[in-house]
Amino acid sequence: LTAGKLEKSHQVLLELVDLEPKFGPYLRFWYYTAWINYYDEVDDLQRMKFLLEQNKIILKEIPAKYRQKLVENYEFFRAKCLVKEGVFLDTAENFFLGILRGNLPKLTILNCIYQLGLIAYKNRQYDLSKRRLLSVVTNGKDLNEAKKAKTILEKIDKLSS
């Protein structure tokens, strides 16, 4: 999804719909997470939140020794929902800043910086937003986050004019 293959991703997810009832909790969690990611890209907050709640229920079925990574993933998308809704932005900001303290893949870091840029934009901190989003554009090249960052940067430039 992050590489801009939205339609292909949607097609693959749809092909798995009939198999989903047979998925165990672990696979179902990741399948729902893929849908959450898709709904994030198409700005369908209601479906994101619904599936996020389903994942919260599934977490209780996962053995403790496997649960930590799934909880982290759940929290990541929960914070993204807060940003999308424009609520508890300080909570979401602290969450994403905390993630950046870890040793994570570049894609995760860029996604966090994009979210932080979006939070700054929603808080009308346009200079901070611009710095963060420019970093995403510079380092993200063809990722969807970079394309979305460019759109927000254009909005900021219009506000400055």
Side-chain angles (χ1 to χ4, degrees):
L1 284 171
T2 55
K5 297 186 178 4
L6 199 58
E7 279 308 311
K8 178 65 176 165
S9 299
H10 187 235
Q11 181 183 342
V12 169
L13 290 169
L14 287 174
E15 289 171 3
L16 295 171
V17 166
D18 292 337
L19 298 174
E20 186 261 332
K22 297 175 186 170
F23 293 166
Y26 190 79
L27 184 55
R28 181 174 289 121
F29 179 93
W30 288 112
Y31 178 62
Y32 288 175
T33 298
W35 273 110
I36 292 167
N37 204 5
Y38 171 78
Y39 288 131
D40 181 28
E41 291 298 325
V42 298
D43 289 323
D44 191 336
L45 179 61
Q46 290 310 110
R47 286 188 170 135
M48 276 181 78
K49 288 172 65 175
F50 175 78
L51 288 172
L52 198 59
E53 283 305 309
Q54 296 305 303
N55 271 358
K56 185 177 182 180
I57 293 166
I58 291 170
L59 283 172
K60 296 172 187 168
E61 300 174 41
I62 304 292
K65 66 180 181 176
Y66 302 113
R67 194 176 302 141
Q68 184 59 38
K69 181 70 175 160
L70 278 66
V71 168
E72 290 169 6
N73 183 275
Y74 168 83
E75 293 295 332
F76 182 83
F77 280 102
R78 186 177 146 280
K80 285 181 88 168
C81 283
L82 295 176
V83 175
K84 259 192 194 310
E85 281 187 279
V87 297
F88 303 110
L89 294 176
D90 55 338
T91 300
E93 183 173 33
N94 288 333
F95 176 80
F96 289 117
L97 287 170
I99 287 177
L100 291 178
R101 291 186 197 105
N103 185 13
L104 298 164
K106 182 178 178 181
L107 182 59
T108 303
I109 291 168
L110 288 173
N111 202 320
C112 288
I113 294 170
Y114 170 77
Q115 293 298 320
L116 289 166
L118 194 54
I119 291 167
Y121 176 78
K122 289 184 176 203
N123 284 328
R124 294 185 173 94
Q125 297 172 313
Y126 299 123
D127 289 339
L128 179 58
S129 177
K130 196 171 187 173
R131 285 194 308 274
R132 290 172 172 173
L133 295 172
L134 282 171
S135 174
V136 173
V137 170
T138 302
N139 295 293
K141 307 279 185 251
D142 297 324
L143 296 177
N144 280 346
E145 281 77 10
K147 293 172 186 169
K148 292 186 287 188
K150 286 178 187 175
T151 302
I152 297 169
L153 286 167
E154 289 170 7
K155 290 178 184 179
I156 292 171
D157 286 342
K158 286 179 184 175
L159 290 171
S160 302
S161 310

